[in-house]
Amino acid sequence: MSAVPDEPMAKATRLVLGFLPQDRQPKPEEVQNAVNAIFGMLAAQGEDLDREQLAKEIEAMTAVFQERSLALVDPKGHEPWLPEAKNDRAWDFWERYRRYLEDVVNLPPWVVRRLDQSSDEVLSQLEDPRRSGPWRRQGLVIGQVQSGKTGQYIGLAAKAVDAGYRFIVVLAGIHNDLRSQTQLRIDEGLLGFDTQHQNRSNEDGRSRAIGAGAMPLAKKLDIASPTSSAEKGDFGLATAKAINFPLGRFPVVLVVKKHYKILEYLRNWVIDVHGTEDENGEKVVKDLPLFVIDDEADNASINTVRDPEADPTKTNAAIRRLMKSFDKASYVGYTATPFANIYIDPDVDHDVAGEDLFPYSFIRSLPSPSNYLGPERVFGLQVDDEDEEDVQPLPLVRHVDDADNWLPPKHKSGDSPSDRLPQSLRDAIFSFVLACAARRARGQTKVHNSMLVHVTRFTAVQTLVRDQVDDHLRLIVDTIRDRYGKGPELRAELRALWERDFVPTTDKFPADEVERLTWEQVSEQLLPALRKIQVKTVNGTSKDALDYYENRRNGLSVIAIGGQKLSRGLTLDGLTVSYYLRVSKTYDTLLQMGRWFGYRPGYEDVCRLYTTPALEDAYVEVTAATDELRREVEEMAALSLTPKEFGLKVRSSSLGLTVTAANKMRQSTKILLSYSGEGPETVIFRLAERTVENNFRALETLLRRMGSVAEPGGPGGNVRWDGVPPELVSEFLTSYETDRMAQRVRPRLIAKYVEQCAKVGELGSWTVCLVSSKTSKSPRVIGGHTVGLVTRTSLNEGFETEGRYTIRRVLSPPDELIGLDPEQMVAARKAAKKAAEKKEAPEPKTPAGPFIRRERRTDQGLLLIYPIALPKSADTESTTPLVGFQVSFPHSEYQSKTEYVANTIWLQEDIYTIDEEADEA
């Protein structure tokens, strides 16, 4: 992949992008003005350009946006260093890679800037490689399947090398072809040379520059890799013997499979070359900072032994021993399915293997760019929050209900599919032919086109399927050449599919995203498209290879038939049609098998997923569960929690799916959740004036409708109402607007819970209290009552610039006692005292929330409302107070619960019941 910078369109694109604002999304009129200016200038110089095509390219690139990433961070033992290092080090590898992404890969500028920002954020949480040791950092980055995680960690590796990390190990999957594919990406983006021909960039007489190294005027930077992109280019004993360069003087990058023997070879070699004995007589590598990037960190890296204190599984132990063998070490795991990682016990430290790989330093969530075709866009997403619109699925899924007679779901390795392909698979192959022809008709001729057939895990059955599909494809080619016999009939069948399926689907996409085509345009390209298609099996025994790189000049068109090898990490370039029947019972495997996620610029409309209705239902559910998990990460990040404080729970399945493999969930527990006995409270507020005013109006409406006051409270005192009917509480909650990131407090779900309880005779009599600060200097009349506004310290002032205000707690703990009678108060205090004695802790001044809520009668709800003075730092002229609330729910005798799988931290911590004194009202 080398750039041709003098090509008029590439040159014009770069010039227009340079003309646009760099710190924000450009407006449509700014794009048009820049296109006009550059087009006029180049036309005056005699350049032959298509103005409309240039405008389309720029519009597509600038329309893409990406939100900032968010993280849970633990600064313990960490010394901030990156801002200073930005000025005292050369960032040559990163600058070369950035230019490669912009000029060769043609990533939209906004996406490159976000990658720059997010890789800085990850790098800043690692330790400065120049810091004297020993030190260790471990983190996790959560992205989406096929969303560009590899590009992100190559950027991170480039910056790590620039910063001074001299030994980088990339753990790339468990199969040779995935390792080889990852090495090739690193050759192109980071090393700049072809590792199949050389091991070091400045080897005398040899120069096979590729990717970033092949760009005109690209800097030649000293870097080495003992591993290569060849299928058998992994690290081994022979590799170790052949290495003839020193360690420590320049960066050395290795891309290895996650296999314990290879990791042991690597560890033994580096210890032999560079190890010195420590005070315990163990060999340790000193002053050579190690950086481990663990791709697909939930696969093979997890310790699946039942007892976390017992000897860990071999690969997990090998990674931990490698880390332990360096006195300076950083580890970052990358995954789209972090379910297994969050179930790692954070407190395990084995005598030989060392600490487990729990990401105690940080967990960062990477949002996907807006042009990413992800699970939400394929399967849709129902959002519980009415402030957000549901994501409607794109019309790309086609149901398969005729495959069981051809290949039963529970077949064995010795079974054979029946002779005739099901009509659905024939339609899928036709769809692939039409997709290839349509892309050619749109000018996408020298591109990769792939179709995935994933119907069995058995390699022998895959071979039989390949033969059937290959025979069927050859029959199509022979028939379509026949102008007089069955050729016209076949063309008519393809035309019918085009007009019945493709035309209406394309019509549902915006006209500026995908080009409309006539049947005549597509028909012309059918034979050229068909002639290019090959059928290959992709599995451990197959000699076939998906040689996209070797075919990069003219494009490869392939129908790939496989199983396990296609289910994780391996990218199918230009994937348009998937025929997928492979059932899995776990969330993470289902998501990883979704090779159809990714980027499909200019051809999203011709993509198809043929699968069963049951599998589509499973994907809808997995999509909802992972979206909830991602939002929880965002919310916990907004609350400035650390990974060790962060209790994660993942929604269990109504379809019998499990979260991840049972052996990866040893340290997790199934729990049932509802609002029964809970105390949800608002801790994240949206500062948008519309939201603030709406919530204040909702409060005033509630106060008016409640009428007479049970306890006026006097000047500066609380104002209280007793015997409030549940409908009024429910209406207030329903009209309350919360911030998008406030996933744990969803007012409308709480309102539904109140309504459900009321139907069975619970929560029939509420106490509502408008809390007032006696020390407030900001009295305010609300609904005819003068109260003092309470103050709460901001957790993260940086969020206020984004219109978001976060606090640790809104509740002042003694307030939750309101509404209890004397006997209930005594019982709550007794229970709290008993619990404190068990923990050998002093008796708390106020019983924690669970003890109070345990004493409430089932009809006795409490709604505490806190009018909060807006922080001085808030960027708003509004004087309307924020409205926060806490609901104290008794335990229900009826309410059904949602099952979740929780990690050990979630079970130890309850964000609603932290036993601490909050800011006093």
Side-chain angles (χ1 to χ4, degrees):
M1 292 177 77
S2 60
V4 188
D6 295 322
E7 218 175 75
M9 188 56 71
K11 179 179 171 183
T13 303
R14 274 201 306 281
L15 287 170
V16 174
L17 291 173
F19 208 72
L20 292 169
Q22 301 300 304
D23 57 343
R24 59 175 171 80
Q25 295 285 123
K27 296 170 184 169
E29 59 269 23
E30 290 174 324
V31 170
Q32 289 307 320
N33 292 341
V35 167
N36 290 338
I38 299 303
F39 176 76
M41 183 186 82
L42 293 177
Q45 293 172 8
E47 297 275 17
D48 183 21
L49 271 178
D50 181 332
R51 190 206 164 284
E52 269 195 37
Q53 191 190 343
L54 175 62
K56 263 190 174 179
E57 291 248 340
I58 300 296
E59 281 164 7
M61 291 177 84
T62 54
V64 175
F65 66 90
Q66 187 172 14
E67 294 178 0
R68 49 171 273 180
S69 68
L70 291 165
L72 291 82
V73 171
D74 189 348
K76 189 178 173 187
H78 175 60
E79 293 181 5
W81 62 281
L82 189 56
E84 195 63 36
K86 285 283 183 184
N87 294 318
D88 67 13
R89 292 167 217 194
W91 298 87
D92 292 336
F93 280 96
W94 162 251
E95 285 305 323
R96 188 174 76 171
Y97 181 58
R98 182 188 58 74
R99 213 184 110 209
Y100 169 71
L101 293 178
E102 289 175 345
D103 294 355
V104 181
V105 183
N106 280 325
L107 279 189
W110 194 250
V111 172
V112 177
R113 283 199 293 280
R114 275 287 185 245
L115 191 151
D116 183 12
Q117 182 186 39
S118 63
S119 54
D120 264 5
E121 286 164 340
V122 176
L123 183 67
S124 70
Q125 290 307 319
L126 307 182
E127 224 47 55
D128 182 354
R130 294 183 185 177
R131 178 184 163 186
S132 54
W135 44 257
R136 179 161 167 167
R137 296 287 283 171
Q138 289 181 185
L140 180 71
V141 176
I142 304 169
Q144 292 240 38
V145 175
Q146 302 279 86
S147 67
K149 295 186 300 297
T150 308
Q152 209 272 352
Y153 72 63
I154 292 174
L156 176 61
K159 288 181 176 179
V161 162
D162 285 327
Y165 280 92
R166 287 290 171 263
F167 199 70
I168 296 188
V169 177
V170 180
L171 307 176
I174 57 174
H175 296 297
N176 281 332
D177 45 6
L178 179 53
R179 190 214 65 82
S180 168
Q181 178 182 279
T182 304
Q183 175 92 48
L184 178 59
R185 293 279 305 275
I186 284 172
D187 289 2
E188 291 175 335
L190 176 61
L191 302 173
F193 62 86
D194 187 342
T195 48
Q196 293 197 32
H197 297 280
Q198 62 191 98
N199 291 125
R200 187 176 171 188
S201 55
N202 65 354
E203 280 180 14
D204 295 334
R206 292 195 209 170
S207 183
R208 291 293 188 100
I210 61 171
M215 294 186 300
L217 306 177
K219 273 193 178 181
K220 195 171 181 186
L221 304 169
D222 197 3
I223 191 167
S225 177
T227 56
S228 89
S229 63
E231 181 81 4
K232 295 184 177 174
D234 209 340
F235 194 85
L237 293 173
T239 319
K241 286 175 186 168
I243 295 170
N244 59 0
F245 45 72
L247 292 179
R249 261 188 241 163
F250 50 84
V252 173
V253 180
L254 301 99
V255 183
V256 299
K257 273 201 312 293
K258 278 195 255 192
H259 191 284
Y260 72 96
K261 281 189 178 172
I262 288 164
L263 290 164
E264 282 299 308
Y265 291 150
L266 174 57
R267 191 180 75 87
N268 291 336
W269 165 69
V270 75
I271 278 178
D272 288 345
V273 172
H274 218 78
T276 55
E277 281 197 7
D278 64 9
E279 59 275 8
N280 302 320
E282 284 188 32
K283 272 199 165 185
V284 174
V285 179
K286 294 186 176 177
D287 300 322
L288 180 68
L290 166 71
F291 180 25
V292 174
I293 295 172
D294 188 354
D295 194 9
E296 306 295 346
D298 62 311
N299 188 31
S301 305
I302 302 296
N303 180 20
T304 54
V305 173
R306 187 176 296 277
D307 179 1
E309 301 300 331
D311 289 343
T313 42
K314 288 179 178 177
T315 301
N316 171 266
I319 298 170
R320 287 159 67 177
R321 288 189 73 194
L322 178 68
M323 291 284 292
K324 193 183 174 189
S325 299
F326 286 72
D327 72 334
K328 299 175 172 67
S330 290
Y331 167 97
V332 178
Y334 278 79
T335 183
T337 47
F339 307 115
N341 304 79
I342 65 175
Y343 297 133
I344 297 172
D345 191 324
D347 299 318
V348 169
D349 193 350
H350 190 268
D351 289 345
V352 177
E355 297 173 60
D356 208 342
L357 301 175
F358 181 80
Y360 56 77
S361 303
F362 62 89
I363 299 174
R364 180 165 290 279
S365 173
L366 289 181
S368 304
S370 56
N371 62 339
Y372 170 65
L373 184 64
E376 296 86 358
R377 294 183 68 211
V378 176
F379 300 106
L381 180 67
Q382 282 197 316
V383 184
D384 289 323
D385 190 339
E386 286 176 26
D387 290 341
E388 273 190 79
E389 287 185 16
D390 291 347
V391 180
Q392 297 305 322
L394 292 173
L396 306 180
V397 179
R398 303 291 177 268
H399 287 160
V400 174
D401 55 12
D402 61 352
D404 288 1
N405 292 333
W406 171 63
L407 191 64
K410 293 190 175 175
H411 60 274
K412 297 185 173 67
S413 58
D415 291 347
S416 300
S418 67
D419 293 341
R420 184 173 168 78
L421 291 180
Q423 186 60 44
S424 57
L425 180 50
R426 291 154 57 119
D427 283 349
I429 293 168
F430 275 169
S431 292
F432 181 56
V433 172
L434 289 169
C436 293
R439 292 191 72 193
R440 291 181 69 87
R442 286 173 177 164
Q444 301 167 17
T445 52
K446 297 185 175 181
V447 294
H448 299 309
N449 292 290
S450 302
M451 175 177 173
L452 162 68
V453 178
H454 192 158
V455 294
T456 177
R457 65 190 174 92
F458 302 116
T459 55
V461 183
Q462 287 166 21
T463 302
L464 297 172
V465 172
R466 189 203 77 88
D467 292 344
Q468 283 192 351
V469 171
D470 193 52
D471 287 347
H472 185 69
L473 189 71
R474 289 176 190 279
L475 179 64
I476 293 172
V477 175
D478 289 346
T479 306
I480 213 157
R481 282 183 180 142
D482 181 358
R483 293 186 180 183
Y484 305 105
K486 292 201 171 177
E489 192 182 311
L490 181 64
R491 278 186 185 268
E493 200 177 335
L494 283 162
R495 179 173 188 165
L497 179 62
W498 174 261
E499 291 176 348
R500 178 180 77 245
D501 187 330
F502 283 77
V503 172
T505 300
T506 300
D507 283 344
K508 290 176 182 169
F509 284 75
D512 58 344
E513 283 184 16
V514 288
E515 182 186 345
R516 272 50 177 165
L517 297 169
T518 64
W519 168 247
E520 287 67 31
Q521 288 173 296
V522 176
S523 181
E524 273 177 32
Q525 299 295 337
L526 284 174
L527 198 51
L530 268 164
R531 283 184 178 134
K532 279 188 77 170
I533 300 172
Q534 306 170 52
V535 184
K536 297 190 173 197
T537 46
V538 183
N539 56 47
T541 60
S542 165
K543 290 188 170 64
D544 290 346
L546 295 178
D547 41 4
Y548 293 116
Y549 185 70
E550 288 75 6
N551 289 279
R552 63 194 179 280
R553 299 202 186 285
N554 295 309
L556 176 72
S557 290
V558 63
I559 300 177
I561 289 146
Q564 190 61 29
K565 269 202 175 184
L566 294 177
S567 70
R568 184 181 278 273
L570 196 68
T571 299
L572 295 168
D573 286 347
L575 180 63
T576 48
V577 178
S578 300
Y579 190 84
Y580 175 78
L581 306 178
R582 175 82 184 279
V583 177
S584 171
K585 288 290 184 187
T586 67
Y587 283 179
D588 46 10
T589 304
L590 273 171
L591 270 179
Q592 289 291 352
M593 285 179 175
R595 300 289 97 198
W596 47 83
F597 305 130
Y599 300 94
R600 308 284 184 265
Y603 64 100
E604 273 188 354
D605 62 316
V606 297
C607 294
R608 295 290 180 272
L609 168 58
Y610 285 81
T611 193
T612 64
L615 269 166
E616 185 182 20
D617 288 346
Y619 272 104
V620 168
E621 190 167 271
V622 174
T623 301
T626 49
D627 179 71
E628 184 176 346
L629 180 137
R630 225 172 248 109
R631 286 169 184 255
E632 288 230 342
V633 171
E634 289 177 359
E635 184 179 352
M636 298 301 97
L639 293 174
S640 301
L641 294 185
T642 68
K644 278 198 173 184
E645 291 173 311
F646 176 40
L648 252 180
K649 66 182 193 304
V650 183
R651 186 190 303 190
S652 279
S653 165
S654 61
L655 304 175
L657 304 173
T658 59
V659 175
T660 184
N663 60 0
K664 294 181 183 177
M665 292 165 57
R666 305 284 195 210
Q667 316 313 321
S668 67
T669 305
K670 283 190 177 180
I671 53 173
L672 295 170
L673 291 183
S674 80
Y675 286 110
S676 172
E678 291 286 331
E681 60 182 300
T682 48
V683 288
I684 301 179
F685 299 89
R686 195 170 164 196
L687 293 177
E689 193 172 341
R690 184 184 68 81
T691 302
V692 174
E693 294 295 339
N694 172 81
N695 292 345
F696 190 73
R697 277 197 308 275
L699 171 58
E700 290 202 303
T701 301
L702 172 66
L703 301 190
R704 276 198 310 275
R705 295 197 62 195
M706 285 191 299
S708 59
V709 177
E711 269 190 34
N718 295 346
V719 187
R720 175 176 151 189
W721 291 258
D722 285 332
V724 176
E727 304 82 61
L728 296 188
V729 173
S730 181
E731 283 170 22
F732 166 72
L733 292 168
T734 302
S735 57
Y736 185 96
E737 287 183 16
T738 188
D739 188 87
R740 182 184 68 82
M741 290 172 71
Q743 288 305 300
R744 291 203 167 190
V745 180
R746 303 187 186 183
R748 287 171 184 81
L749 290 187
I750 300 172
K752 281 179 191 168
Y753 176 78
V754 171
E755 289 159 15
Q756 286 167 351
C757 286
K759 284 176 188 171
V760 291
E762 295 186 337
L763 296 179
S765 177
W766 282 77
T767 296
V768 177
C769 183
L770 180 62
V771 178
S772 173
S773 168
K774 289 176 182 170
T775 57
S776 170
K777 292 172 185 169
S778 323
R780 179 77 186 233
V781 177
I782 304 176
H785 305 282
T786 303
V787 291
L789 300 186
V790 302
T791 56
R792 293 291 183 263
T793 306
S794 174
L795 264 183
N796 188 335
E797 291 189 4
F799 280 116
E800 286 167 32
T801 59
E802 297 179 11
R804 183 173 292 125
Y805 178 57
T806 60
I807 59 177
R808 181 63 167 162
R809 299 200 78 181
V810 75
L811 175 74
S812 192
D815 292 344
E816 204 171 354
L817 291 163
I818 291 170
L820 295 188
D821 60 36
E823 291 81 11
Q824 288 174 313
M825 282 197 195
V826 169
R829 291 187 194 283
K830 263 190 188 172
K833 184 180 179 183
K834 194 173 178 184
E837 284 167 357
K838 270 190 181 175
K839 287 196 251 176
E840 298 181 352
E843 183 181 347
K845 289 181 198 170
T846 304
F851 301 114
I852 297 171
R853 297 192 287 275
R854 178 63 66 187
E855 298 307 319
R856 291 193 175 282
R857 294 185 301 276
T858 55
D859 67 330
Q860 194 180 23
L862 170 68
L863 173 63
L864 295 165
I865 300 175
Y866 292 84
I868 304 168
L870 268 167
K872 287 177 185 170
S873 52
D875 184 19
T876 176
E877 293 176 13
S878 173
T879 57
T880 305
L882 300 176
V883 176
F885 68 79
Q886 192 257 8
V887 189
S888 183
F889 281 114
H891 283 262
S892 168
E893 292 175 5
Y894 296 96
Q895 280 313 304
S896 63
K897 300 181 179 185
T898 301
E899 185 179 274
Y900 285 78
V901 180
N903 69 353
T904 49
I905 297 166
W906 198 93
L907 296 167
Q908 291 160 10
E909 300 272 350
D910 177 351
I911 191 166
Y912 302 133
T913 58
I914 296 163
D915 192 8
E916 61 175 46
E917 293 297 318
D919 298 342
E920 288 299 326

